[in-house]
Each structure stands twice: as C-alpha cells, then as structure tokens.
Amino acid sequence: EAQVTQNPRYLITVTGKKLTVTCSQNMNHEYMSWYRQDPGLGLRQIYYSMNVEVTDKGDVPEGYKVSRKEKRNFPLILESPSPNQTSLYFCASTGASSGELFFGEGSRLTVL
Amino acid sequence: AQSVTQPDIHITVSEGASLELRCNYSYGATPYLFWYVQSPGQGLQLLLKYFSGDTLVQGIKGFEAEFKRSQSSFNLRKPSVHWSDAAEYFCAPLPGGSQGNLIFGKGTKLSVKP
C-alpha cells in the first residue's frame, strides 16, 4: 500500500530536549515536505526536499532542521524545542510530474 | 508576492443543500490548482486538481471545481452535501507546475446540519 508514515504520532516533551520526527514514503517520490498546522493559520511549509541531498527552506524554517540522505526518508529535527513549536506536523511527498501531495497522518507535538 | 485566499473560515450548510467554497489566488502565471480535504483527526487527501484544459474538473466524493482565469478563482462545489462531508477544505496553487514552496490557503471548515 502506498503510504507516508510518520512517527511518533503523539509526543509530549520539554523545552530544550532534542527530538526527531521521522517520515518515510514507499512510493519512490523525489519530492518531500514538512508542514505545520496551527488553528487559524492553515498549513505552513517548514522545509522541502526536491531529491536526495537537496533541501530548502519553506515559510517557517526557524528552529527546525531536516536531512535527506535516502530517497524514502525525510526526518524533521528539533534541536532545542520551544513551546511555540507545539503544533500538528505533517509530512508529504509527491512524484516528479503529478503535483499531488500524499500526506502522512500527522504528528501532534506538545512542548512544555 | 504569491498568495492564496480562502475568504470563508467556517461555513455551515444543511444536509442536502448545495455548497460552494471559494478560493482566489494571486500568481504571475496560472498555477496548477488543487483542493484537499482534511477529515477530523486525519491527514489531507486530494479532492481534485486542475492543470490545464477543461475549466470544470471533477473530483472524488461528488465534488467539482471551476477554474476562472479572469477572476483568478478556483471554487469548489457540490450539488448536495452529505453529513460525511463535514471537514476542513484547503486550496493549494502550485506555481508553474514546479514543486517547491507549495503554499496552502488557510482552509474553510465545513459543518453540516442534519
């Protein structure tokens, strides 16, 4: 089954404790992206990657890092989480021509 | 600057009534256009897309959307709403067909009255 898998789905952590949200897709997609969703603000892009070793900033990259060492994986790293990073995070991927984004089920992160 | 606007934050319709959700965009050239739906507690799912050609496109779940170049709009419609359509709907233009900074509208939340 074609899917984008995120882990963890839910996480409560404390300020400053590094964490990684993993994202993996099994569709051989070149493009992957991370979004955060906040009430009233919709989805805002954090980082995206056009292919392996190619990443770029989205609209709200501050406080986040990403890497793309393999085509299927695109982890989101919060080196020193802060409460304003409490949010619902989505990973998405798409193939080169379709433009259609396939989304993971989301990761709800709470930073205390 | 490129932007997308969904003017209605929250819409309530009665089951069986028709629905139109608005989307306006501001881009230098006509982008590819997408509508996504997010059911409560779920990720986003593609409803329909417009790349070129026929300006009325059909999607899943009985939805359709009409591209109007003169109005820079891509409004989503459904003739008869079902209770299961209660969800949040997002419009997303993709500039020049190139994947990159794909932005979304802020969403319209649809509630359905019995």
Side-chain angles (χ1 to χ4, degrees):
Chain A
E1 181 188 353
Q3 59 185 3
V4 177
T5 303
Q6 299 178 223
N7 280 295
R9 294 286 314 281
Y10 301 91
L11 179 64
I12 300 174
T13 190
V14 295
T15 299
K17 186 176 181 181
K18 180 180 179 180
L19 68 92
T20 299
V21 186
T22 63
C23 174
S24 180
Q25 49 93 6
N26 63 0
M27 295 168 279
N28 201 36
H29 284 164
E30 292 83 8
Y31 178 94
M32 297 185 74
S33 181
W34 275 103
Y35 294 87
R36 61 178 288 174
Q37 184 176 23
D38 302 288
L41 298 177
L43 286 129
R44 294 179 292 168
Q45 192 176 49
I46 303 170
Y47 270 94
Y48 63 94
S49 169
M50 302 291 280
N51 214 323
V52 176
E53 302 291 0
V54 180
T55 63
D56 209 343
K57 296 177 181 178
D59 292 320
V60 288
E62 295 78 19
Y64 304 94
K65 287 175 60 176
V66 293
S67 68
R68 187 91 182 272
K69 294 184 172 60
E70 306 166 281
K71 198 171 188 179
R72 64 183 292 125
N73 296 324
F74 190 45
L76 179 70
I77 303 156
L78 286 74
E79 294 270 3
S80 182
S82 62
N84 64 13
Q85 293 178 297
T86 292
S87 188
L88 178 58
Y89 292 87
F90 286 100
C91 179
S93 71
T94 185
S97 59
S98 76
E100 173 187 354
L101 284 170
F102 292 82
F103 284 84
E105 293 189 330
S107 297
R108 186 167 293 281
L109 171 66
T110 301
V111 183
L112 302 176
Chain B
Q2 297 171 336
S3 66
V4 54
T5 302
Q6 292 181 246
D8 305 305
I9 297 172
H10 191 185
I11 285 181
T12 300
V13 301
S14 298
E15 191 167 16
S18 64
L19 170 71
E20 182 170 29
L21 303 182
R22 296 181 289 165
C23 173
N24 294 95
Y25 60 90
S26 175
Y27 282 70
T30 300
Y32 293 176
L33 294 158
F34 301 81
W35 275 99
Y36 290 85
V37 59
Q38 184 182 27
S39 299
Q42 305 284 318
L44 280 76
Q45 179 186 19
L46 180 71
L47 271 180
L48 47 78
K49 60 188 176 186
Y50 172 78
F51 285 179
S52 64
D54 193 345
T55 56
L56 186 63
V57 295
Q58 303 296 321
I60 62 172
K61 305 183 183 187
F63 284 89
E64 65 180 26
E66 185 172 14
F67 167 64
K68 291 186 178 179
R69 184 188 305 275
S70 61
Q71 298 177 19
S72 296
S73 69
F74 189 54
N75 294 348
L76 182 70
R77 302 196 295 242
K78 186 168 185 178
S80 177
V81 169
H82 188 261
W83 64 266
S84 61
D85 294 325
E88 192 155 17
Y89 293 81
F90 295 92
C91 179
L94 182 61
S98 70
Q99 298 135 352
N101 191 357
L102 175 58
I103 63 173
F104 285 77
K106 292 187 178 179
T108 297
K109 184 175 181 180
L110 173 66
S111 298
V112 180
K113 291 190 299 185

